[in-house]
Amino acid sequence: PADLIALVRASLVVDARAGRYRLLETLREYAAELVDELGAAERDAVANAHAEWYRRLVLDADGTMSITAWIHLIDPDRANLRVALERLFETAEEDSPVGVRLLELASALGRYWYHVGPSSADTEWLPQALSLATDADPSLRGSAAYALGICRGEQGLTEEAIEHCRTAYDLLRDGPDPLWAARALNSLAGLTHDIGRSEEAAPLLDESIALRRSLNGALPLAIPLSNRASVAVQLGDAATARACLEEILRTEGDDELEAAFAMMGLADV
C-alpha cells in the first residue's frame, strides 16, 4: 500500500522482506509509552483489538492453505499470539463468548503446535480453554480435544493422548464435519496400536477405514490400512493383512512411496 511505502521511505517502518514490516525499536518504545499513558478503558480496547486481530488471522487462514504455508504465516507472530492468548484468558469468564474465542484460537493453534513440536507451555492453553468453554459447540470442543490429543501424543503422553482422542471422536462423530471425526478416530486407533494393544486397536482401525471409505477419497486410506495390516500380523491374521496391503496398492498405487511400503509388507506376509 502507498501509505506503508511512504512510511518505509521516511524511515519510520523497516521493510523486513517476505511481505513483513516492523517498527523501528525507538518508535516501538515510544508507542508503548503512549499506551501506558492511556486510561484503563483505552488500554483494554487496544489489548482487545490486538487479540482479536491475531485470532482472526489464525482462524481465517486455518484450512485454507497447505500446512507448510500456514506454519510460515504463523511462525513470525508466535510472541504476538501468546499475548493474544493471555489477553483472552485474562478477560474470559466461564462459558462466556470470550472463552469461546479463546477455545477457537487455542484449537487452531494446537494443530500448528503439533507440527512444529509442541512445548508444554503452549499446549497448556488447550486444557485451560476447554475448562472455560464447557458449553461451547461440541464440534469446537471436539476439535480442541483432538488438537490436545495429538500434541500429548507427540509429548510421549500416550495414555492421556488416547483419552483426549476418544473424547474428540465422541464429540465429532455426529457433527457437521466427518473429516475431523475420521482424523480423531484414526489417531485414537494409531495411538492404541503404538502401545501394543492390538486387540483393542483392530476394531478401531476397522471403523476408521470404513469411515474413510465413506468419504469417497477425501482422506487417504493408506495410513489406517497399513496400521490395520500391522495389527493383523501381530494377531496372526495373514489374510486380513494381505487384503489391507493389496487395497493400498489399488487405491494409493500412484504414490510410489506408499506402494513400495505396501509391497514390502506383502513380502513379509
Side-chain angles (χ1 to χ4, degrees):
D3 290 346
L4 190 54
I5 293 171
L7 290 172
V8 171
R9 288 174 175 168
S11 298
L12 297 173
V13 170
V14 176
D15 183 351
R17 304 302 175 192
R20 294 186 62 84
Y21 299 82
R22 63 177 177 82
L23 285 172
L24 294 172
E25 286 305 310
T26 50
L27 288 178
R28 186 188 298 276
E29 292 168 4
Y30 177 58
E33 291 174 4
L34 292 180
V35 171
D36 288 340
E37 293 171 4
L38 296 173
E42 292 172 300
R43 285 198 302 274
D44 285 345
V46 170
N48 291 340
H50 175 273
E52 180 60 16
W53 195 92
Y54 279 99
R55 188 183 75 89
R56 288 265 40 111
L57 172 71
V58 172
L59 296 186
D60 288 347
D62 187 18
T64 65
M65 56 182 68
S66 70
I67 188 61
T68 301
W70 197 54
I71 288 171
H72 286 164
L73 173 72
I74 292 174
D75 263 343
D77 281 312
R78 292 184 80 161
N80 277 312
L81 287 163
R82 289 192 182 105
V83 172
L85 287 162
E86 288 167 3
R87 178 61 186 174
L88 290 168
F89 181 72
E90 289 169 0
T91 55
E93 297 178 0
E94 189 172 350
D95 294 324
S96 67
V98 178
V100 172
R101 291 199 288 273
L102 172 64
L103 186 60
E104 288 174 336
L105 178 56
S107 177
L109 285 175
R111 295 185 288 280
Y112 162 76
W113 295 324
Y114 166 76
H115 284 285
V116 299
S119 72
S120 57
D122 285 332
T123 56
E124 287 315 301
W125 285 112
L126 284 159
Q128 291 185 78
L130 282 163
S131 71
L132 282 170
T134 56
D135 284 346
D137 182 272
S139 294
L140 174 57
R141 287 185 56 78
S143 176
Y146 174 61
L148 181 56
I150 58 177
C151 285
R152 289 292 191 251
E154 282 295 295
Q155 292 167 339
L157 303 172
T158 308
E159 292 289 353
E160 185 182 345
I162 287 172
E163 290 306 311
H164 290 307
C165 287
R166 181 175 288 112
T167 297
Y169 180 55
D170 289 343
L171 289 166
L172 293 166
R173 63 193 308 172
D174 297 322
D177 190 348
L179 293 180
W180 283 114
R183 292 184 179 104
L185 178 58
N186 190 65
S187 294
L188 171 60
L191 287 162
T192 305
H193 169 233
D194 288 345
I195 57 174
R197 285 157 40 182
S198 300
E199 291 186 356
E200 184 181 343
L204 291 170
L205 286 163
D206 287 338
E207 189 178 355
S208 175
I209 291 164
L211 179 54
R212 288 195 174 213
R213 283 180 182 140
S214 72
L215 297 175
N216 298 318
L219 288 174
L221 278 164
I223 292 175
L225 283 169
S226 179
N227 286 339
R228 184 64 180 93
S230 296
V231 166
V233 169
Q234 291 164 6
L235 295 174
D237 182 2
T240 296
R242 186 179 299 109
C244 290
L245 294 166
E246 288 174 347
E247 184 173 351
I248 292 175
L249 288 176
R250 289 196 307 273
T251 60
E252 311 290 335
D254 291 340
D255 185 324
E256 293 183 350
L257 186 60
E258 293 293 355
F261 279 124
M263 285 186 281
M264 288 169 62
L266 280 168
D268 289 339
V269 171

